Amino acid sequence: MKKVPYKIYLSEEEMPKVWYNLQADLADRLTPFINPANGKPCTKEELMQVFCEELVDQEMNNKDAFIEIPEDVRNYYLMYRPSPLVRAYSLEKALGTPANIYFKFEGMNTSGSHKLNSAAAQVYYAKKQGITKVTTETGAGQWGTALAMAAAHFEVDLSVYMVKISAEQKPYRKTIMETYGANVIPSPSNTTEIGKQILSEHPNTGGSLGCAISEALEVAANTENCRYVLGSVLNHVLLHQSIIGMETKIALEKYGIRPDIMIGCAGGGSNLGGFIAPYMGEYLNGRKDIRFIAVEPTSCPSLTRGKFTLDFGDTGKTTPLIKMYTLGNGFIPSPNHSGGLRYHGMSPIISELKHGGEIEARAYGQTEIFDAAVFFSKHEGILPAPESAHAIKAAIDEALLCKETKEEKNIVFALTGTGTFDLAAYSAYHAGNLTDHIPTDEELERGFATI
Amino acid sequence: MKKVPYKIYLSEEEMPKVWYNLQADLADRLTPFINPANGKPCTKEELMQVFCEELVDQEMNNKDAFIEIPEDVRNYYLMYRPSPLVRAYSLEKALGTPANIYFKFEGMNTSGSHKLNSAAAQVYYAKKQGITKVTTETGAGQWGTALAMAAAHFEVDLSVYMVKISAEQKPYRKTIMETYGANVIPSPSNTTEIGKQILSEHPNTGGSLGCAISEALEVAANTENCRYVLGSVLNHVLLHQSIIGMETKIALEKYGIRPDIMIGCAGGGSNLGGFIAPYMGEYLNGRKDIRFIAVEPTSCPSLTRGKFTLDFGDTGKTTPLIKMYTLGNGFIPSPNHSGGLRYHGMSPIISELKHGGEIEARAYGQTEIFDAAVFFSKHEGILPAPESAHAIKAAIDEALLCKETKEEKNIVFALTGTGTFDLAAYSAYHAGNLTDHIPTDEELERGFATI
């Protein structure tokens, strides 16, 4: 076997020209979105009122395993991709493990995360359809930043409803979106009916993702040539994120490497779903030689303690009903610093795979994932986002198990982003101010009651 | 000619194994450091009281054009290098220029800049010599962050004297250094005699780079097994930064590309010196087919309006005398957001090349470089550091000239770092709050009077 370099980069010729659509392998297992008004599956026409047509087609496509990446999107990807597949030689040495640890690093772009992979695609399709404006919400700010970059490039207007407390705590996230020309509105706001209503009832609220979604949806519905875009959960978002897995597979196969374990953090599920996509496709078709592990925070344990059932995607109950693992649309997670993992639900695809036993799930507390993050940063040089640190913690734990069992397993994880915009969280960690709130059974029951 | 990809990455086998030492081509032209106490050239023994031995050897080596990069440093480089050589296709299209624009992007590491190239080498040599602690100063924080990462990796203690006003304005820079285990002390401080003296005279001062240097030097001198390290200006720093130029040359030559113009921003001169090193070596040996352009802010115009003379490297007049372009060690630049370019002097190598006419210099105002930065970020996706934006502005201006003259020149510039930690500056730009103070002739004269 060739010596594996520190980083494997694909050449332009080696870059994937197709996304992998896991729906094709799960066709008879996935439940369609349900219209709560009539209890029937949502039609394409209903979804097209909110989303761009080609994205709706992708959302509903359970036939084609491979979907071509448009040339303009591939060219945009070439500005910041391929992302490196890194062999964590320093980390292995520090752990003294016989395991081979690899990570796919998605943080090497200005937005700092994998979110750009779907942002570019969604804005491209909007532009192609003649849409002149898109709206979205953002909590932690990674999705909003990625979308602002893509919207600037493809010259589509963008309004971002940013959870008010996040906009105040992360002013630089707002600045970077504005630098790319986005209109950033702290939510709840006076620009929408739902925003005004919430403000009149709760004038001092810091907002929530659920409220920001409702505002963005309202504007998209009432503005000509405007659509709403979403950064996770949906099938078409996982499809676009499969660029991560496709690149990973090509890179590993160049060196004859087969993963034994694949690990990703899971909030809405887009990075994990995209990362494992081509390998999970093989698994579902009979090649069952890989363990897949989803990692979530103990404070928001949808996969490990949630229910697999129909629920709304937002607290305002304005979305279709989605079959997924959920803590209930009314569940309010404690203020964990992994903003990207604070969501009551989970991607339908990831949920189905967990339900079917194809994916394992585990949860970690906030302090232990920061321990892992700091350890990792000292040895591998990269300061990870707290979300990504969940995957790091699981990879380290698996590598330490290999040390006990003396197994040279190939552990591959997705490092979704950098911690550059999370330094307030690192400060709190150093000061010993992190809290780990694990919801009680009673708190979970209160969440389930909102389903 | 092969089609040039968006990004050229070198394989591990292609990575440089040597640095390029421009002193070898300038041996009879450079003035050694002068000991102000006796007016004689500093001896190796004198310099070794402050710096590690091998770094002093490199500082004084004017014989060897190539110096081997130690294996441990090459392995550290492999964790975040090679940096990509990017073809700016989107920028070219937006400008409508026939020029081919390339940039070497050094921001793809957690410290966000090229500073890590020398930090890794300096800490490695310290460790090798048995030094257990190093001290330094940092203003904008790029150097301190890079050094903290390297010190954590090679397990050497680090104290960073951070200009107090910077520590207050950029708390996240402090956090990231602390995450890597560095001891960050806002300067002036009560930990040194010079700090106490300054505090007693100016209790409310926000500090200065000159004062922070003096404190770091004092601690290094009075602590066992401790040395001082510096992030720019010195010959050995330019030597380490030549990894930028070596990689650039190998990457371009793979595609048969020869630069017509090479551009870099210049504060202390380390990135520019490293970026152009191997090409300038050829130039000095007769191949005069490239224009080299140094870009600085109009607010701190050492190359364009300074004097080429002997001066101290710090305001406290504690360093040897250095032959360089200088605005006078007492010159106080206005609070420009490009903290890395606010230095009264300039690398002796860059100074000599400017003096000899081998390098051109130009200066831009703060607002116009932010205009260029925002334009660049929209088209190329990367949000640049304000320092780097000086090079971008010059590259755009040269590309627009090519549009007029219909020349397909190859313009290659160094993009030294990201603007991720400069979002307060971008905020000020968007709010229209940037000021451009160009020093008057009288202000320059007051600076020169301190020489």
Side-chain angles (χ1 to χ4, degrees), chain A residues 3-7 9-10 12-13 75-82 84 86 89-90 105 108-111 149 152-153 155 169 171-173 175-176 178-181 374 377-384 418 420-421 423-424 426-427 430, chain B residues 3-7 9-10 12-13 75-82 84 86 89-90 105 108-111 149 152-153 155 169 171-173 175-176 178-181 374 377-384 418 420-421 423-424 426-427 430:
Chain A
K3 194 247 176 192
V4 179
Y6 275 72
K7 290 186 286 187
Y9 279 109
L10 304 184
E12 269 184 31
E13 293 71 37
N75 285 341
Y76 189 85
Y77 282 173
L78 286 175
M79 290 204 300
Y80 71 98
R81 305 197 70 84
V86 185
Y89 282 116
S90 296
F105 182 34
M108 283 164 79
N109 66 71
T110 289
S111 76
M149 291 173 64
H153 186 83
E155 298 183 324
Q169 287 175 344
Y172 294 158
R173 275 288 185 193
T175 297
I176 198 165
E178 287 170 345
T179 298
Y180 281 97
V374 170
S377 73
K378 287 190 179 165
H379 294 287
E380 288 293 326
I382 297 166
L383 190 78
T418 67
T420 317
F421 288 97
L423 287 164
Y426 277 92
S427 264
H430 290 305
Chain B
K3 194 245 174 192
V4 180
Y6 275 72
K7 290 186 286 187
Y9 279 109
L10 305 184
E12 268 184 34
E13 294 70 37
N75 284 341
Y76 189 85
Y77 282 173
L78 286 175
M79 289 204 300
Y80 71 98
R81 305 197 70 81
V86 184
Y89 282 116
S90 297
F105 182 35
M108 284 164 79
N109 66 71
T110 290
S111 76
M149 289 173 65
H153 185 85
E155 297 182 327
Q169 287 175 344
Y172 294 158
R173 275 287 184 194
T175 298
I176 197 166
E178 288 171 345
T179 298
Y180 281 98
V374 170
S377 73
K378 287 190 179 168
H379 293 287
E380 288 294 324
I382 297 166
L383 190 78
T418 66
T420 317
F421 287 97
L423 287 164
Y426 277 93
S427 264
H430 290 305

Side-chain angles (χ1 to χ4, degrees), chain A residues 62-107:
Chain A
N62 60 10
K63 296 200 169 47
D64 304 313
F66 297 98
I67 293 179
E68 194 183 330
I69 308 173
E71 190 182 357
D72 284 354
V73 177
R74 281 193 280 129
N75 285 341
Y76 189 85
Y77 282 173
L78 286 175
M79 290 204 300
Y80 71 98
R81 305 197 70 84
S83 70
L85 183 78
V86 185
R87 173 73 183 266
Y89 282 116
S90 296
L91 179 65
E92 291 170 15
K93 194 176 159 194
L95 294 172
T97 177
N100 305 318
I101 307 175
Y102 299 86
F103 61 91
K104 182 71 168 165
F105 182 34
E106 292 290 316

